[in-house]
Amino acid sequence: MARIESISAGIVSPLWVRDGNDLRSVMSGIKKSPISTLTNPVRIEVKATGIGCDEQADHIAHGGIEKALYAYPMEHYPHWSDFLSQAKGKPTDLHHGFFGENLTISGLLEDAVFVGDRWQMGEIECVVVKLRTPCYKFTAKTGVSTVAKEMISTASSGWYLRVTQTGSIQAGDTITVIPGPRETSILKQNQDLLKQSV
């Protein structure tokens, strides 16, 4: 059974990005924290543009109608904890929302999620749009230069959802999948992106 494990949101804040030998500050909404969890399942209103209290700094790369919600599988967290701990040489504990996702989910991975699939969760309905392509802000947040390549090569990207019916959701809501054309999976999009980057 697929379900929402937690819902996260954040506000736009400065993020330090390495530019050659220099550091520069850019605005980003990647820093998100849970606002609805299994232990505190607060109902959260979702609009056509996503969660009302969530912010994005760049509406072309993130957010907007086509990228209203970002879903990320909880199953990937152990790998990332190991990967980042090894890369940084110290234990790294990750909280839900760490990857900038709005929905930390369980029970669905990239190989089983297809562009055009419809999801029903709580009162809302969404459509799977595309994979999340890791950007320089994701690299800056983790502080590990190889993290973007690792996300693509392991096909652990997560994906964006368009909201087609607004309403409220909460942690613990089940995800009912209504299959779309099933022509392109999020896994396939990751594989294609990896080929382009080689």
Side-chain angles (χ1 to χ4, degrees), residues 24-86:
R24 62 186 175 92
S25 176
V26 297
M27 300 305 288
S28 173
I30 196 171
K31 298 175 184 176
K32 301 192 188 302
S33 299
I35 56 174
S36 180
T37 64
L38 295 179
T39 55
N40 186 25
V42 177
R43 295 206 68 78
I44 304 298
E45 287 296 320
V46 179
K47 303 175 183 178
T49 52
I51 295 169
C53 61
D54 188 48
E55 295 182 358
Q56 300 88 29
D58 180 355
H59 288 273
I60 295 174
H62 309 284
I65 300 296
E66 292 299 298
K67 300 176 182 177
L69 296 172
Y70 173 36
Y72 198 77
M74 180 181 73
E75 289 86 347
H76 294 325
Y77 267 78
H79 167 74
W80 285 114
S81 183
D82 291 344
F83 177 82
L84 294 173
S85 294
Q86 184 173 357

Side-chain angles (χ1 to χ4, degrees), residues 70-158:
Y70 173 36
Y72 198 77
M74 180 181 73
E75 289 86 347
H76 294 325
Y77 267 78
H79 167 74
W80 285 114
S81 183
D82 291 344
F83 177 82
L84 294 173
S85 294
Q86 184 173 357
K88 294 182 174 187
K90 61 181 180 179
T92 304
D93 293 323
L94 306 177
H95 62 81
H96 287 183
F98 178 84
F99 298 96
E101 78 268 23
N102 303 113
L103 308 179
T104 307
I105 66 160
S106 63
L108 287 167
L109 298 176
E110 285 77 359
D111 62 340
V113 177
F114 289 74
V115 174
D117 282 355
R118 287 187 290 146
W119 285 17
Q120 293 175 339
M121 304 173 281
E123 297 175 349
I124 75 169
E125 185 172 284
C126 300
V127 176
V128 176
V129 177
K130 64 173 290 185
L131 84 166
R132 180 263 188 92
T133 305
C135 67
Y136 71 98
K137 292 180 181 179
F138 176 54
T139 300
K141 183 176 190 293
T142 61
V144 176
S145 62
T146 57
V147 74
K149 185 176 181 180
E150 181 72 8
M151 177 173 272
I152 297 167
S153 65
T154 58
S156 54
S157 61

Side-chain angles (χ1 to χ4, degrees), residues 131 152 184-198:
L131 84 166
I152 297 167
T184 305
S185 69
I186 300 300
L187 171 62
K188 177 68 163 52
Q189 287 190 332
N190 272 280
Q191 292 170 337
D192 290 346
L193 192 59
L194 183 61
K195 288 176 187 175
Q196 295 170 20
S197 64
V198 173

